[in-house]
Amino acid sequence: MKILHICAIGGTVEALLRPQIDYFLSQNLSVEIACSPGAEVEKLQQQGYIIHPVQIDRRISPLSNLRSIYQLTQLIGRNQYDLVHVHTPIAAVLGRIAAKLAGVKRIVYTAHGFPFHDRSSPREYRFYFTVEKLTALITDLILTQNYEDIATAKKLNLCPPAKLRYLGNGVDINRFQRDRLNPTHQIELRKSLGIPDYTDLIIGTIGRLTHKKGSGYLIEAAAKLLPYFPNLQVLVIGSQLSSDPEPFQKKLIQKIHELGIEKNVILTGERQDIPEVLGLLDIFTLPTFTHEGLPRSILEAMSMNLPVVATDIRGCREAVIHGKTGLIVPPKNSEKLAEALGILLSNYQLRQNYGQAARKRVEADYDEELVFKRLNKYYQELGIY
């Protein structure tokens, strides 16, 4: 049986889809990918993955979008896939249209957070809901990463309830395990990142350098905390993509300089050693206010026994239990973010308690093996195998 995954960029394959692709390859299915060309795609191709480079813009651009549909339709028709599985908002719409035009019998969509949500403007909400409702007509199965999206879809009659399933999100709990860290390597890593010897507390966040991931609010919160925690260090882990609709790196650096906290903030860029970098942290935070599904970065941090401060948005408020595994704060509010981080920075035992509870929660609910088994079952229901 042949499966094609469609998403916008190679980074999505690398960061989000690769574990499930590996799982289904191990089940003797043929799994291929279509996404925009780039360095990540070349790297994955060298590792043996079959990736078809098709330019897919991450914004609405009629001519480019039509070209993508045409190229995807040609690709699907040529290779006769048994199932097409689409991801990320624009690619998911274009991919489903192409799959339908090519006569694919099984079309699956993973909503990594519906693009309409409680933080959308009324106009955005109406537009994206309409697009999702129309494309749901040509979708056989809609998988969500959180329970909130299922409840919303049912309430708004997005599609027949039989088309909806909970997939969830998960991490490799063996790789993201504090016990596996090498103390000597951790000391070397700390030095290589330029963390001063006198630093006694470290807060970190992971995400692309876009405005909506909220790193600007973290920088403002750090400036408020430094008078009370002068040896505090902040790690911003992640990079800016050339295809990001809202590039933010220059503005972020400018904000750091304006607040005069250059010595206390490190932009690490893209990292491949995330478990080890997380192992240096005392607290993880994700001050995002964009349309999250269920952020994997939060799950990775929880798996590493870290307390998490996250925002009160869909996905984040499902992963983090306020007052048990971390703290939930209002989005776009550096004052409340600083307040929550300050509570944890000043209480070692609370950090330990939250971190231990976070690890247990991941083991019970967010082990990636659970996701693979669910998806395997859904594929079987659609007649794959």
Side-chain angles (χ1 to χ4, degrees), residues 34 120 176 211 236 323 360 374:
S120 304
F176 287 88
H211 176 56
V236 179
K360 285 177 185 171
R374 284 186 204 115

Side-chain angles (χ1 to χ4, degrees), residues 98-115:
K100 193 67 179 176
L101 290 172
V104 175
K105 290 178 180 167
R106 306 166 186 88
I107 301 174
V108 178
Y109 165 41
T110 295
H112 298 260
F114 284 130

Side-chain angles (χ1 to χ4, degrees), residues 67-140:
R67 196 179 302 118
S68 300
I69 291 171
Y70 174 75
Q71 291 175 355
L72 288 168
T73 306
Q74 296 290 103
L75 170 69
I76 296 165
R78 209 165 44 239
N79 291 305
Q80 295 293 298
Y81 297 102
D82 298 290
L83 182 147
V84 169
H85 193 152
V86 299
H87 309 265
T88 62
I90 303 292
V93 171
L94 307 181
R96 281 181 279 180
I97 294 169
K100 193 67 179 176
L101 290 172
V104 175
K105 290 178 180 167
R106 306 166 186 88
I107 301 174
V108 178
Y109 165 41
T110 295
H112 298 260
F114 284 130
F116 58 91
H117 50 90
D118 57 358
R119 306 286 307 169
S120 304
S121 71
R123 185 166 163 269
E124 285 176 330
Y125 199 101
R126 280 194 303 272
F127 174 77
Y128 286 116
F129 174 76
T130 303
V131 170
E132 291 287 329
K133 189 170 177 67
L134 289 171
T135 45
L137 296 170
I138 57 171
T139 311
D140 297 291

Side-chain angles (χ1 to χ4, degrees), residues 3-4 41 108 121 170-171 179 185 233 298 318 358:
I3 295 169
L4 178 70
V41 168
V108 178
S121 71
V171 293
D179 294 349
H185 178 264
Q233 197 73 37
I298 286 180
E318 192 166 303

Side-chain angles (χ1 to χ4, degrees), residues 198-212:
Y198 57 76
T199 296
D200 53 8
L201 291 164
I202 304 174
I203 297 169
T205 189
I206 298 174
R208 295 191 321 278
L209 297 185
T210 66
H211 176 56
K212 289 183 177 178

Side-chain angles (χ1 to χ4, degrees), residues 26 37 43 95 119 202 230 239 261 263 280 292 337:
S26 75
K43 182 178 154 196
R119 306 286 307 169
I202 304 174
S239 62
I261 58 172
K263 291 180 181 175
L280 300 176
E292 301 288 351
L337 180 59

